[in-house]
Amino acid sequence: MAARLPAANSCLLASSSSSVNSQRRAAVRISAVAAPSIATGIATVVTAPKIAVQHTAPVSTAVSRATPALASVWREIQGCHDWESLVEPALNPLLREEIVRYGEFVVACYKAFDLEPSSKRYLNCKYGKKRMLREVGMPDAGYDVTKYIYATPDIAIPTQSGASCSRWIGYVAVSSDEESRRLGRRDILVSFRGTVTNTEWIANFMSSLTEARLDPHDPRPDVKVESGFLSLYTSDDSSSKFSSGSCRQQLLAEVSRLINQYKDEELSITLAGHSLGSSLALLCGYDLAELGLNRNGRNQRVPVTVYSFGGPRVGNPGFKERCEELGVKVLRVVNVNDPVTKLPGVIFNEGFRDLAERYELPWSCSCYAHVGVELSVDFFKMQNPVCVHDLDAYLGLLKCPKMVQVVKKDGVDFLTKTMELFDAWKWQDAAMQVGNLMQSLNI
């Protein structure tokens, strides 16, 4: 029997009857009191069309007097049913807590990243693996960092040290025995920071699709991803004193090692990232599933879940469909006013595809498409425009469960969608401005 989950406020989730092609939307108003850089705010929850999955029945929405322990419902919280009834009509409190928890692991990447050019650890992590989480204010996180991950932008822009080089992009960690008991499984976590350096911003805006070809035995030419993200994921800097191999090689080796180490336990693989980091998280999740590396000692598939914060589109519809076929679950947390989430593909995206299919217009697989279920927040009247892409602002709103009121919208007006489609041209310039602001502020 499926475990039972509560909804916000009344510990009750209303059932959802949306089909695979449903376009229903739900809105959640959230006060921005917890976000210091925002005067007021609104958060909107938008669920993407549901994907057909081969699992047991969805989580029951019957009344429960108490919130169930995470250990008993972790598969649902990790998206085994594409978060059906957990996002709408109200954001489930357990899911909220998990989103914030994984978001804080990403914040740790920013706090630990050394951006001081005179430092010996410039572009590296400030701390050793054993004390990193403690130094950034997470001594009770319940995870042990096992490996640091480095990425190399394949762009010839020298750093202040005189040459382009790899830089610390995130880390791999695994839940402790005590935390694993609370979670109901041993969790392998991969966390990525977002864009900070100039070369990484350029990687964000390359905006050209290329074949992923991550599986040498089945290249799948219909699966295409953004070239800048793929380059950052696969490029190698042989001169780096910190890393050995590309970001991809480091990740696949370490995650495989941990799966083998804990092969007889219940496992999950969780990837979390902000901005550019969310792109790397999705590429890694797809890569692990495509190569079949997410298998435990009993040859059972280990669930792969991506928590994306303020992430751009990563690939084409072929990439999206393949992720769904492989069972890679993606929960996208985005601010509707964040220009980075509109890129790449400001025009040729899933919205253009819907328009083309409705009016039988030609369209190409060169379009971009978001992957997964979307949880949208909408903050406005900002004291600082940079906060539209700020991870702390995202998490600040999500930490306000008592301020939630449900406002539901069924359907989307066609004219409105069309106007939004053509209005999207402005986002390219806006995103570059946000990038310049973030760079100047060392965000």
Side-chain angles (χ1 to χ4, degrees), residues 81-402:
H81 302 301
D82 301 298
W83 295 280
E84 184 176 354
S85 299
L86 301 185
V87 171
E88 62 166 327
L91 182 59
N92 176 264
L94 275 179
L95 177 58
R96 180 197 302 274
E97 291 175 4
E98 285 299 275
I99 293 171
V100 171
R101 186 173 72 89
Y102 284 116
E104 289 175 341
F105 279 116
V106 179
V107 171
C109 291
Y110 286 108
K111 291 181 178 179
F113 190 46
D114 194 338
L115 278 170
E116 176 52 54
S118 62
S119 171
K120 292 182 179 179
R121 301 184 73 85
Y122 178 51
L123 299 181
N124 189 24
C125 183
K126 298 175 185 178
Y127 316 109
K129 293 191 293 291
K130 291 184 178 180
R131 64 189 185 98
M132 191 271 282
L133 291 174
R134 181 176 71 253
E135 292 289 347
V136 299
M138 299 178 66
D140 301 317
Y143 283 70
D144 299 313
V145 177
T146 64
K147 187 173 182 61
Y148 283 164
I149 303 299
Y150 299 80
T152 305
D154 190 20
I155 304 167
I157 295 181
T159 65
Q160 292 175 326
S161 62
S164 83
C165 64
S166 63
R167 64 282 317 273
W168 187 69
I169 198 75
Y171 59 93
V172 181
V174 64
S175 57
S176 64
D177 291 346
E178 181 179 356
E179 182 70 358
S180 296
R181 285 191 290 271
R182 187 186 75 84
L183 297 176
R185 84 281 185 188
R186 182 79 62 174
D187 188 36
I188 299 171
L189 167 68
V190 184
S191 178
F192 298 94
R193 64 170 176 81
T195 309
V196 174
T197 66
N198 287 330
T199 49
E200 292 164 356
W201 271 111
I202 293 175
N204 261 351
F205 299 119
M206 277 189 166
S207 295
S208 62
L209 286 165
T210 186
E211 295 177 8
R213 294 186 177 274
L214 295 179
D215 184 355
H217 303 293
D218 190 355
R220 295 185 177 275
D222 59 317
V223 175
K224 297 181 179 181
V225 296
E226 201 273 336
S227 59
F229 303 150
L230 184 64
S231 173
L232 193 64
Y233 183 60
T234 59
S235 295
D236 183 12
D237 179 15
S238 58
S239 65
S240 173
K241 64 179 179 180
F242 294 114
S243 65
S244 175
S246 66
C247 174
R248 181 195 185 203
Q249 291 169 331
Q250 298 165 56
L251 285 166
L252 297 186
E254 181 63 9
V255 173
S256 296
R257 184 187 73 80
L258 290 172
I259 290 176
N260 184 64
Q261 179 177 344
Y262 300 104
K263 61 185 178 181
D264 296 326
E265 298 185 24
E266 194 81 69
L267 294 172
S268 66
I269 300 172
T270 308
L271 305 105
H274 173 239
S275 189
L276 174 66
S278 69
S279 305
L280 295 175
L282 181 51
L283 279 174
C284 183
Y286 160 73
D287 200 6
L288 288 165
E290 187 68 270
L291 296 177
L293 298 179
N294 60 324
R295 297 278 177 175
N296 61 17
R298 299 181 296 276
N299 199 34
Q300 297 172 333
R301 188 172 68 179
V302 176
V304 176
T305 302
V306 177
Y307 288 93
S308 166
F309 298 89
R313 295 182 181 90
V314 176
N316 70 342
F319 175 72
K320 174 183 182 294
E321 291 162 7
R322 185 57 180 159
C323 285
E324 293 171 356
E325 291 173 3
L326 293 169
V328 178
K329 303 301 179 181
V330 183
L331 184 62
R332 299 178 49 251
V333 185
V334 303
N335 174 15
V336 296
N337 295 314
D338 184 350
V340 174
T341 65
K342 313 294 181 180
L343 299 172
V346 291
I347 292 295
F348 297 104
N349 52 45
E350 54 278 281
F352 177 79
R353 180 183 185 182
D354 293 341
L355 181 67
E357 289 180 348
R358 180 166 182 173
Y359 288 92
E360 299 182 353
L361 300 174
W363 77 287
S364 168
C365 63
S366 60
C367 288
Y368 286 86
H370 275 307
V371 180
V373 174
E374 184 174 287
L375 170 64
S376 299
V377 293
D378 180 6
F379 13 113
F380 58 93
K381 294 184 180 180
M382 299 153 293
Q383 298 175 6
N384 186 341
V386 172
C387 77
V388 299
H389 192 58
D390 181 55
L391 181 56
D392 284 328
Y394 278 76
L395 300 182
L397 289 178
L398 291 168
K399 290 177 181 178
C400 300
K402 294 182 179 180

